[in-house]
Structures are given as C-alpha cells and as structure tokens.
C-alpha cells in the first residue's frame, strides 16, 4: 500500500507538471501529440511518487537511528549508574576494611596473601603493593609455625577452627601477639581462600602478665614479710642471749668461738630476713625530686668496676626529674647491672639509655598514665629463656647455682618491690642467647 507521503508527492508532482505544461506549452485541447504531454505528466507523477517513497525511507531510517541512539544512550547511562554503584560499594567495603582496627586478611590455599587491610599492613610494616603474593608464614613467629600449620590444614579440609592465638613478627622485628578467627571459602568444593580477622592483643597480654606478676609478688610479699618479721624477732632474741652468754664467759673460754659462730649465723639470718622485709615492704623510701643522671652513671660504673665490660650511655639531655629514694634506686641499678655482668662471663658491652616517655591509658604496664623517665639497660649476655621470663622477679628464683656464681634470687625481687613503691615498674625483654634489656619506668616529678 502506498503511503500518504508518496501519494502526496505523486499528486504534487502531477499538479506541478500540469501547471508547467499549461504555462509553457500550447494548451488547447485536443492538441497535437497530446499523448506526449500525458506521458510527460505521468512520468512526473511517477518520479514524484518515488521521491516520496525515498523520503519516507529516509525518514524511517532516521527515526530508527534516533531510536537506536536513544536506546544506546539509555544503556550507557544505566551502565554508568551500575559502575558508580559498584564503585561506591567497593569504596564502602574498602573503607570498612581499611578503617577497621582489626587486622583482616585473605590467604590463598598455597599460603600466599591475597588481601590484607590497612591495619594489617601498618602493624606489620608492609606497603600496599608488597602484600599480594607474600607468603603468610613469613610473618608468623617461628615458634608458632607448627600450631598455625595445623590450623591452616584443618581449615582447608573444611573443619571448623576455634579462636586462634598466635604471634606475628613485624618487618622491624616487633613481636605482635594476636587472637582471632578464620574460615575457609569453598567454590565447587575446592578451597579458594582462608579469611581471617585478628586483633592485636600485645598490650593486653603484657598487662595481664604484669598484673599476674604484681598479684603473685604481692601475695608472696605478704607471706614472706609476716614470716620475716616473726623470724627477725626470734633472731633478735637469740642474738641478745648469745651476746649475754658470750660476755659472761671468761675471755679464755673455748666456748666463745662457738658462740661467735652462732652469732654470725644469726646475723646472716637477720640479713636474709632483712631482704625479705625490703622485698615485702620496699623499705620506707625517702623520696626527693632529682635529676638522676649522675646517680645512674655512678651506680652503673661502680657495679661494672673490675669487669672486662664496656659501658655506653645515651641519656637524653632533657630528662625529666624524678621523685626517688636515691639509696634504693642505686640498689635497683646495682642489682640489674650485676646481673648483666654475671650474664656476660666473656665480656661485652652494657648500654644504658634514658629518655622521657609519655605513658598512655592502654600501656600494658600496670602503671598510672602520665610522664615517665624510661631507663633501658641492655646487655649482650646469655639472655633469659622464654619459660623463665615470668619467674625472674620471684624471690628465690635463681639459675646461679655454681660455686663461682651463687645467686640468692633476691636481686630482681627487691628491684621490683622498690619500683612499685616508687609508682613505677620494671619490665624485661630478652631473647635466649642474644642478650637482655631491663626497662625501668620512673614517674616524673609533678
Ligand atoms: P640472682 O642474680 O641472685 O640469681 P636475681 O633476682 O638477680 O637473682 O635474678 C634472677 C634470675 O634472673 C637470675 O638467676 C638469672 O637467671 C636471671 N637474670 C636476671 N638478669 C639477667 C640477665 N641480665 N641476663 C640473663 N639472665 C638474667
Ligand atoms: Mg642478681
């Protein structure tokens, strides 16, 4: 069926042809060769009709193109919207992960890291691009490898694993105690990733250990202090009797020597009970606000005198003044340095550092937050095995049982007690065979 446009074109073409014929040719009817005119007009009508058809085709094509264009535009807009939504979702999740204080990680079944969030990277000292492909077991402390490997394999075989407690090692060698949970993602029954979320509990653990230490030592102190006082009284009585009897004997009597031995034993006993009392009560400190520089240097030098041990000081120029009993603090430095000396039988170096430190709320130290002076005394001695670290502050704990180096196990117990009485504390870090550092925290003068 011819459409309206082509018919309109045909009619217009016919009328135009008739008009031209009427204007430019003789138009009497009938006239010569009239069939030629009719043929001409019919040709015009036909040509106009086809032009109309063509115009219609163009119009249709244009409309189709416009429609297709609009569709494409719509599709593009929808795609852009979808991309934008995806980007927003990605940003949301990445923001959620990266702003989490917990360490979040995803590990491939071959143990290589697929993803780790910002807390993980910052805690362990990794740049973002160093994470993908890095072997996870290289950040786990070697002591924890066996335990972690067992958990890892359990997860890969589809078993559930409860809370994981382990230790990571940061790039700078810091040990980070963590606890967390992991689960495994399976696709077509094949493990593809182990997802884990861990919390840094280093400070909390340290605090727990400090609190346990404080409670244990306090309990021992109460018991030991009570017994020591009673014993001290008994010994004082005994000493008085011995002295009386000794004085009553004629000077040439053989018993005098025996009584003198008894007196010496009593004095030794009193010395021991005195140590218990100092440990239990920390003596009664006579505190003064002083700059500790000279006292520290002198105490360390005296304790090292005669030993083949070098000493290096790095004391901050702006050290806080501290409120201390000088005699008691000297005893603390002396006990720590004597231990360092005894740990370095083949010589070495003791390093003493002192610097101001602001101790925050979650300090893991069991001391009040505030300004402190931190003194670190480091030796290059035999170190302290991990299993002994929790016991070295206990009275009577000693590993020195040889004739040449007989310990009483009181040195650090007394240090601890004195430090607590000063509102500070003493902590230790050591690696077997690599030396030891004692940290002494003293509250700054108000
Ligand atoms: P003592 O020195 O009489 O044994 P301490 O209380 O002073 O008692 O020390 C307890 C134990 O702690 C020591 O026997 C030793 O095993 C360990 N210790 C203390 N300081 C060090 C150190 N600097 N290096 C290695 N071990 C140490
Ligand atoms: Mg000692």
């Amino acid at each position: 069926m011819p459409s309206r446009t082509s018919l309109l074109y045909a009619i217009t073409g016919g009328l135009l042809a008739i008009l031209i014929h009427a204007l430019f040719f003789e138009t009497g009817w009938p006239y010569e060769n009239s069939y030629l005119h009719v043929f001409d007009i019919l040709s015009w009508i036909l040509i106009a009709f086809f032009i109309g058809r063509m115009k219609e085709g163009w119009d249709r094509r244009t409309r189709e193109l416009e429609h297709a264009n609009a569709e494409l535009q719509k599709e593009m807009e929808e795609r852009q919207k979808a991309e934008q939504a995806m980007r927003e979702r990605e940003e949301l999740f990445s923001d959620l992960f990266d702003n989490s204080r917990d360490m979040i990680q995803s590990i491939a079944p071959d143990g290589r890291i697929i993803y780790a969030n910002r807390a993980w990277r910052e805690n362990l000292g990794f740049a973002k691009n160093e994470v993908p492909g890095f072997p996870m077991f290289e950040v786990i402390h070697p002591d924890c490898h066996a335990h972690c490997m067992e958990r890892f394999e359990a997860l890969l075989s589809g078993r559930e694993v409860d809370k994981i407690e382990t230790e990571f090692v940061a790039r700078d060698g810091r040990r980070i105690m963590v606890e967390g949970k992991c689960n495994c993602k399976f696709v077509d029954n094949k493990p593809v990733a182990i997802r884990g979320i861990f919390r840094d509990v280093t400070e909390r653990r340290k605090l727990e250990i400090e609190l346990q230490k404080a409670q244990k030592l306090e309990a021992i102190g109460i018991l030991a202090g009570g017994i020591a006082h009673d014993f001290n009284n008994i010994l004082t009585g005994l000493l008085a009797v011995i002295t009386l009897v000794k004085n009553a004997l004629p000077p040439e009597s053989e018993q005098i020597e025996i009584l003198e031995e008894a007196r010496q034993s009593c004095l030794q006993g009193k010395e021991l009970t005195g140590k218990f009392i100092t440990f239990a009560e920390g003596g009664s400190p006579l505190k003064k606000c002083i700059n500790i520089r000279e006292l520290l240097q002198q105490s360390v030098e005296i304790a090292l005198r005669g030993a083949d041990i070098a000493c290096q000081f790095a004391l901050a120029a702006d050290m806080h003044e501290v409120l201390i009993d000088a005699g008691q603090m000297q005893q603390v430095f002396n006990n720590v340095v004597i231990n360092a000396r005894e740990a370095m039988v083949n010589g070495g170096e003791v390093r003493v550092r002192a610097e101001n430190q602001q101790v925050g709320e979650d300090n893991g130290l069991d001391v009040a937050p505030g300004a402190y002076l931190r003194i670190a005394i480091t030796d290059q001695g035999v170190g302290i095995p991990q299993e002994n670290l929790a016991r070295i502050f206990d009275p009577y704990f000693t590993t020195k049982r040889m004739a040449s180096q007989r310990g009483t196990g009181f040195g650090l117990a007394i240090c601890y007690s004195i430090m607590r009485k000063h509102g500070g504390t003493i902590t230790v870090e050591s690696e077997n065979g690599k030396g030891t550092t004692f940290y002494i925290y003293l509250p700054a003068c108000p």
Side-chain angles (χ1 to χ4, degrees):
M1 260 294 277
S3 70
R4 264 182 61 200
T5 316
S6 32
L7 280 177
L8 218 68
Y9 267 64
I11 292 165
T12 317
L15 289 175
L16 212 65
I18 290 169
L19 191 70
I20 291 168
H21 275 261
L23 286 177
F24 298 104
F25 301 101
E26 248 177 77
T27 52
W29 188 268
Y31 50 87
E32 249 181 283
N33 298 331
S34 60
Y35 66 94
L36 279 178
H37 290 279
V38 173
F39 183 73
D40 194 29
I41 291 166
L42 280 176
S43 311
W44 275 67
I45 292 172
L46 215 62
I47 288 166
F49 178 75
F50 280 113
I51 290 175
R53 287 296 293 251
M54 269 162 73
K55 165 88 171 52
E56 246 172 44
W58 286 330
D59 286 351
R60 202 174 45 244
R61 191 85 197 106
T62 310
R63 275 197 308 278
E64 276 172 11
L65 277 175
E66 274 170 6
H67 181 71
N69 202 11
E71 288 280 298
L72 206 70
Q73 195 77 25
K74 212 164 103 188
E75 210 171 287
M76 264 166 67
E77 273 170 19
E78 270 166 18
R79 190 168 295 176
Q80 269 173 357
K81 265 192 212 155
E83 275 173 9
Q84 175 73 14
M86 206 152 87
R87 246 194 321 265
E88 277 170 11
R89 256 196 12 225
E90 238 179 66
E91 268 167 27
L92 180 78
F93 285 122
S94 124
D95 178 68
L96 212 63
F97 283 131
D98 277 344
N99 284 309
S100 159
R101 287 175 62 197
D102 290 332
M103 301 161 80
I104 301 170
Q105 61 183 42
S106 174
I107 311 163
D110 65 358
R112 294 187 180 272
I113 303 170
I114 303 168
Y115 167 84
N117 73 338
R118 194 192 304 159
W120 191 103
R121 299 191 305 265
E122 286 181 357
N123 261 348
L124 297 171
F126 278 77
K128 198 170 187 174
N129 60 349
E130 292 173 313
V131 170
F134 195 86
M136 181 65 209
F137 275 81
E138 286 192 19
V139 299
I140 296 174
H141 193 277
D143 291 352
C144 306
H145 273 189
H147 156 89
C148 285
M149 187 51 95
E150 188 199 311
R151 302 296 169 102
F152 195 72
E153 278 165 3
L155 284 162
L156 289 179
S157 61
R159 273 178 284 149
E160 290 239 342
V161 161
D162 318 325
K163 191 168 79 173
I164 297 176
E165 291 181 41
T166 186
E167 227 179 278
F168 290 164
V169 183
R171 283 244 163 117
D172 59 7
R174 252 179 322 116
R175 292 166 75 153
I176 300 170
M177 292 182 229
V178 292
E179 64 180 37
K181 287 215 158 216
C182 286
N183 59 32
C184 189
K185 179 182 175 186
F186 287 88
V187 172
D188 297 333
N189 286 329
K190 275 199 192 134
V192 291
I194 290 181
R195 302 167 284 208
I197 174 159
F198 290 95
R199 181 158 291 184
D200 180 350
V201 292
T202 315
E203 297 305 321
R204 202 181 77 203
R205 282 285 154 73
K206 273 192 195 160
L207 182 62
E208 281 167 7
I209 293 169
E210 283 303 310
L211 281 173
Q212 273 171 11
K213 185 167 95 185
Q215 281 164 359
K216 182 173 72 179
L217 291 179
E218 196 185 338
I220 298 175
I222 292 169
L223 179 73
I227 298 175
H229 273 297
D230 287 348
F231 249 87
N232 203 37
N233 291 343
I234 296 171
L235 289 173
T236 310
L238 211 57
L239 259 176
V241 172
I242 292 171
T243 315
L244 269 176
V245 175
K246 207 177 121 195
N247 290 345
L249 285 175
E252 65 282 1
S253 168
E254 281 178 8
Q255 270 74 29
I256 287 189
E257 206 175 312
I258 299 167
L259 285 173
E260 181 53 30
E261 268 177 37
R263 205 178 74 89
Q264 286 306 326
S265 297
C266 280
L267 286 175
Q268 269 176 17
K270 270 180 86 66
E271 198 186 328
L272 191 60
T273 52
K275 279 185 180 161
F276 267 118
I277 291 168
T278 316
F279 160 66
E281 296 169 3
S284 40
L286 289 170
K287 294 188 207 165
K288 263 202 289 192
C289 210
I290 62 159
N291 183 319
I292 207 166
R293 181 183 299 271
E294 248 175 61
L295 179 78
L296 178 60
Q297 273 172 336
Q298 276 175 7
S299 312
V300 173
E301 275 159 11
I302 292 171
L304 287 178
R305 198 165 283 163
D308 180 22
I309 291 172
C311 185
Q312 216 190 71
F313 289 95
L315 313 180
D318 61 344
M319 281 198 310
H320 288 314
E321 290 202 329
V322 282
L323 189 64
I324 55 156
D325 177 316
Q328 289 194 352
M329 277 324 293
Q330 186 172 14
Q331 197 178 350
V332 170
F333 299 142
N334 184 63
N335 290 359
V336 172
V337 177
I338 294 280
N339 281 343
R341 178 179 171 155
E342 287 171 345
M344 292 194 285
V345 275
N346 299 320
E349 187 181 65
V350 168
R351 243 174 273 155
V352 182
R353 277 173 294 144
E355 59 205 355
N356 297 334
Q357 202 177 68
Q358 195 63 30
V359 169
E361 278 289 344
D362 296 324
N363 51 57
L365 285 172
D366 189 28
V367 293
Y372 283 78
L373 177 70
R374 188 182 84 160
I375 300 164
I377 301 180
T378 306
D379 67 53
Q380 301 170 326
V382 289
I384 303 172
Q386 190 78 22
E387 64 273 18
N388 286 353
L389 279 177
R391 301 172 60 203
I392 56 169
F393 295 98
D394 295 357
Y396 278 124
F397 178 80
T398 179
T399 53
K400 300 167 191 166
R401 306 200 183 281
M402 310 78 81
S404 59
Q405 247 194 30
R406 187 166 286 279
T408 60
F410 261 100
L412 291 176
I414 287 175
C415 289
Y416 184 77
S417 169
I418 293 176
M419 290 312 301
R420 298 305 290 181
K421 290 278 169 342
H422 277 79
T425 193
I426 174 167
T427 64
V428 63
E429 264 175 24
S430 182
E431 239 178 293
N432 213 359
K434 288 196 184 159
T436 305
T437 299
F438 280 92
Y439 295 99
I440 294 166
Y441 290 82
L442 279 168
C445 281

